Amino acid sequence: MKPINAFAAALLFLMSAMTSLQAFADEPLRRTDLIRSDLNVAGHEVVQVRVDFLPGVLAVRHSHPGEEIAYVIEGTLEYKLDGREPVTLSAGQSLFIPTGVVHSAENVGPGKASELATYIVRKGQALVVPSK
């Protein structure tokens, strides 16, 4: 590759990365839907979502119409489930959240945190139910 072409390719890559970072900076909590599929259990589906948190960002208290398995991809997240002591998880750790349990998650680390949330939920209902 000629030096000018390599420089142009590197410049385009950096501009793309900066645009992506700026878009995330404007969105402190980003949910990216990955998959939604029917199950062999009547009236239920599986939904998988990646959730990215900027430092200090809190996903406010909410519940789901089914079970959630939260797997921390990177960073450190503190989960508070009603009726339980808070639990802090780092990359590679996971947590089971039962149907209807009100909970929150907060990025308590110094950098970005991300989780992979897998839900087994009743079909046709809102995935996230806000709570007080």
Side-chain angles (χ1 to χ4, degrees), residues 4-76:
I4 191 74
N5 289 344
F7 176 75
L11 185 60
L12 283 173
F13 174 77
L14 286 173
M15 289 172 57
S16 173
M18 289 174 61
T19 301
S20 176
L21 287 173
Q22 180 59 40
F24 185 56
D26 296 339
E27 198 175 347
L29 181 74
R30 178 190 299 170
R31 295 178 56 86
T32 304
D33 292 341
L34 301 174
I35 191 169
R36 181 180 294 264
S37 181
D38 290 344
L39 294 172
N40 288 334
V41 177
H44 287 76
E45 64 184 345
V46 62
V47 179
Q48 198 166 58
V49 177
R50 178 184 175 123
V51 185
D52 296 296
F53 300 74
L54 287 179
V57 171
L58 171 72
V60 296
R61 292 170 42 82
H62 63 280
S63 64
H64 306 285
E67 288 84 15
E68 175 185 0
I69 300 144
Y71 173 81
V72 179
I73 299 169
E74 68 177 307
T76 306

Side-chain angles (χ1 to χ4, degrees), residues 96-126:
F96 178 80
I97 303 170
T99 301
V101 171
V102 175
H103 59 283
S104 65
E106 181 177 10
N107 180 354
V108 295
K112 184 181 103 172
S114 301
E115 75 170 10
L116 180 64
T118 303
Y119 307 94
I120 306 295
V121 293
R122 288 185 295 280
K123 206 171 169 176
Q125 295 188 9

